[in-house]
Coordinates of all heavy atoms in Angstrom, one line a residue:
M654 N 10.3 -12.0 11.3 CA 8.8 -12.1 11.2 C 8.3 -12.5 12.6 O 8.6 -13.6 13.0 CB 8.5 -13.1 10.1 CG 7.0 -13.2 9.9 SD 6.6 -14.1 8.4 CE 7.0 -15.8 8.9
G680 N 5.5 1.6 14.1 CA 6.2 2.7 14.7 C 7.7 2.4 14.9 O 8.6 3.2 14.7
L695 N 23.2 12.4 6.4 CA 24.4 13.0 7.0 C 25.7 12.5 6.5 O 26.7 13.3 6.3 CB 24.3 12.8 8.6 CG 23.2 13.5 9.3 CD1 23.1 13.2 10.7 CD2 23.3 15.0 9.1
A702 N 28.1 18.1 -1.5 CA 27.5 19.3 -1.1 C 26.1 19.3 -1.7 O 26.0 19.3 -2.9 CB 28.3 20.5 -1.4
T748 N 11.4 -4.4 -5.5 CA 12.6 -4.0 -6.3 C 12.3 -3.6 -7.7 O 12.7 -2.5 -8.1 CB 13.6 -5.2 -6.2 OG1 13.9 -5.5 -4.9 CG2 14.8 -4.8 -7.0
L753 N 11.6 0.8 -11.6 CA 10.7 1.4 -12.7 C 10.0 2.6 -12.2 O 9.2 3.2 -12.9 CB 9.7 0.3 -13.1 CG 10.3 -0.9 -13.7 CD1 9.2 -2.0 -13.9 CD2 11.0 -0.6 -15.0
L760 N 11.0 10.6 -15.5 CA 9.9 9.9 -16.3 C 9.8 10.6 -17.7 O 9.3 9.9 -18.6 CB 8.6 10.0 -15.6 CG 8.5 9.4 -14.2 CD1 7.1 9.5 -13.7 CD2 8.9 7.9 -14.3
D789 N 13.3 21.1 -5.9 CA 12.2 21.9 -6.4 C 11.7 21.6 -7.8 O 11.3 22.5 -8.5 CB 12.6 23.4 -6.2 CG 11.3 24.3 -6.1 OD1 10.3 23.8 -5.7 OD2 11.4 25.5 -6.5
D792 N 8.6 15.0 -11.4 CA 7.9 14.5 -12.6 C 6.4 14.6 -12.4 O 5.6 14.7 -13.3 CB 8.2 13.0 -12.9 CG 9.7 12.9 -13.3 OD1 10.1 13.8 -14.1 OD2 10.3 11.9 -12.9
C809 N -2.7 0.4 2.8 CA -1.9 -0.6 3.6 C -2.5 -0.7 5.0 O -2.5 -1.8 5.6 CB -0.5 -0.2 3.6 SG 0.4 -0.4 2.0
K824 N -4.9 -17.0 13.6 CA -5.6 -17.8 14.6 C -5.9 -19.2 13.9 O -6.3 -19.2 12.7 CB -6.9 -17.2 15.0 CG -6.7 -15.8 15.6 CD -8.1 -15.1 15.9 CE -7.8 -13.7 16.4 NZ -9.1 -13.0 16.5

Side-chain angles (χ1 to χ4, degrees):
M654 183 167 75
L695 294 174
T748 301
L753 298 172
L760 298 182
D789 203 26
D792 293 321
C809 289
K824 301 174 185 174

